[in-house]
């Protein structure tokens, strides 16, 4: 049984991880008041007091557009804090599971990204997450870096909840249709993480980067169509018009990748795990959303 330190418990993934990891040991899940990730000394102090046998770090600065003007804060949480956790994991001789993003890639092309493809973040958020990955590798600790994309769930700020809100308020909407990726339920991420932990008596030979997303692909427009189809089936008000637009028609402070496809072969080959299809995951998530 593990003694687990879980960060970011109030976030989408952290909230689900607290549930999924419960059967694998004691889960210590301090909120922001108990763990200030902008203070490296506070991180070290907590880790040394708890002496975890596993550190799981879904905490992140995820305000992609705000990161363009808050780079220092983004790097503090996504890079420096991740590096400190990795250094403490190395000191204790315990593994670290960390979550990263498709934004470390350039977002060009149309082929699914492999874990060993070249990285070229298109914005500050992606660069800060890549810096975190590099700090973890440099620490020499046993680690899993799980890159995911398009995360949504029943809590927090995400595309699913935004669409449901706007669907109740608007008769017509325009959604970007030329960015392609895999909508990924936060619970899928948490449950697969728990399966990985449960199946690893030791971590030798598995350290590295893995992709963890729901299977399949769609556009943001296709994701919105699926959301509104399910919403309409349960009697919610939905827009009567859903227009497909190009990225250029919806400018944002941070550049968005058009290709967020992530290949899943390595996850299957190493751990024998296959994430559910994104449409099936969305249907299951809908049962948890008011």
């Amino acid at each position: 049984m593990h003694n687990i330190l879980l960060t970011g418990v109030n976030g989408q993934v952290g909230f689900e991880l607290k549930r999924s990891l419960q059967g694998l040991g004691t889960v210590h899940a301090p909120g922001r008041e108990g763990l200030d990730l902008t203070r490296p000394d506070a991180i070290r102090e907590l880790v040394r007091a708890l002496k975890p046998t596993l550190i799981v770090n879904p905490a992140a600065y995820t305000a992609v557009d705000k990161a363009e003007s808050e780079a220092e804060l983004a790097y503090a949480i996504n890079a420096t804090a991740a590096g400190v956790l990795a250094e403490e994991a190395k000191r204790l001789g315990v593994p670290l599971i960390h979550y990263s993003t498709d934004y470390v890639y350039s977002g060009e092309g149309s082929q699914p990204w492999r874990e060993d493809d070249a990285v070229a973040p298109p914005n500050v958020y992606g660069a800060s997450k890549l810096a975190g990955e590099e700090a973890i590798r440099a620490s020499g600790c046993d680690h899993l870096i799980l890159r995911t994309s398009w995360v949504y769930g029943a809590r927090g700020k995400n595309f699913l909840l935004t669409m449901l809100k706007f669907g109740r308020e608007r008769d017509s909407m325009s959604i970007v249709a030329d960015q392609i990726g895999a909508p990924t339920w936060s619970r899928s991420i948490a449950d697969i993480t728990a399966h990985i932990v449960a199946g690893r008596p030791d971590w030798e030979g598995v350290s590295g980067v893995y992709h963890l997303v729901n299977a399949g692909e769609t556009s943001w427009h296709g994701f919105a169509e699926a959301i509104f189809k399910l919403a309409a089936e349960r009697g919610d008000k939905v827009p009567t018009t859903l227009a497909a637009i190009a990225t250029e028609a919806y400018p944002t402070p941070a550049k968005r990748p058009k290709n967020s496809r992530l290949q899943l072969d390595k996850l299957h080959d190493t751990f024998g795990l296959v994430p559910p299809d994104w449409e099936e995951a969305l249907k299951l998530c809908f049962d948890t959303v008011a």
Side-chain angles (χ1 to χ4, degrees):
M1 298 291 284
H2 280 287
N3 186 36
I4 302 169
L5 170 58
L6 172 65
T7 70
V9 68
N10 294 317
Q12 295 183 79
V13 177
F15 177 82
E16 295 291 350
L17 279 164
K18 186 176 181 182
R19 177 193 62 85
S20 296
L21 295 172
Q22 285 295 334
L24 301 175
T26 301
V27 179
H28 303 277
R32 291 178 183 174
E33 68 285 350
L35 177 59
D36 184 348
L37 291 170
T38 66
R39 296 178 53 216
D41 288 348
I43 300 171
R44 295 187 193 281
E45 182 180 349
L46 180 65
V47 174
R48 294 178 186 187
L50 290 177
K51 296 180 175 61
T53 60
L54 171 66
I55 300 173
V56 183
N57 182 42
Y61 179 104
T62 58
V64 176
D65 288 326
K66 285 183 69 176
E68 296 296 309
S69 58
E70 293 184 349
E72 185 176 351
L73 181 58
Y75 272 86
I77 295 172
N78 293 344
T80 303
V84 171
L85 286 168
E87 290 168 3
E88 291 302 304
K90 175 65 175 178
R91 189 182 66 83
L92 289 171
V94 304
L96 167 68
I97 299 178
H98 176 78
Y99 299 84
S100 192
T101 174
D102 63 288
Y103 279 49
V104 301
Y105 300 112
S106 70
E108 303 299 324
S110 59
Q111 294 300 309
W113 297 103
R114 294 171 51 90
E115 287 84 349
D116 56 359
D117 281 336
V119 290
N123 52 44
V124 170
Y125 167 70
S128 70
K129 292 296 288 182
L130 179 59
E133 292 188 12
E134 292 169 343
I136 291 168
R137 282 191 287 270
S139 76
C141 74
D142 290 331
H143 64 270
L144 300 182
I145 296 170
L146 304 176
R147 290 177 182 159
T148 189
S149 73
W150 294 22
V151 178
Y152 69 90
R155 59 184 285 121
K157 295 180 180 180
N158 59 70
F159 188 81
L160 167 64
L161 299 184
T162 298
M163 289 301 101
L164 291 175
K165 177 179 183 295
F166 286 169
R168 291 188 290 267
E169 299 171 351
R170 303 179 183 182
D171 293 327
S172 64
M173 295 178 63
S174 299
I175 307 294
V176 170
D178 59 354
Q179 297 173 20
I180 308 299
T184 301
W185 186 19
S186 53
R187 186 169 295 181
S188 294
I189 296 171
D191 286 351
I192 288 175
T193 300
H195 279 295
I196 291 172
V197 173
R200 300 311 306 178
D202 67 76
W203 296 79
E204 185 175 354
V206 300
S207 283
V209 176
Y210 297 83
H211 292 158
L212 173 46
V213 292
N214 282 126
E217 64 180 57
T218 189
S219 66
W220 289 112
H221 183 268
F223 189 17
E225 284 185 317
I227 290 168
F228 290 133
K229 180 176 184 293
L230 291 171
E233 288 174 354
R234 72 177 188 184
D236 291 2
K237 179 187 177 300
V238 300
T240 54
T241 303
L242 191 64
I245 61 173
T247 297
E248 291 72 22
Y250 187 73
T252 56
K255 182 181 179 181
R256 295 307 201 271
K258 288 190 176 182
N259 177 21
S260 292
R261 302 169 179 89
L262 299 179
Q263 192 179 98
L264 290 167
D265 291 357
K266 185 179 178 184
L267 182 76
H268 174 263
D269 293 345
T270 304
F271 303 111
L273 297 171
V274 179
D277 183 83
W278 74 266
E279 291 181 281
E280 291 303 314
L282 178 61
K283 291 175 184 177
L284 291 171
C285 180
F286 236 76
D287 293 336
T288 72
V289 178

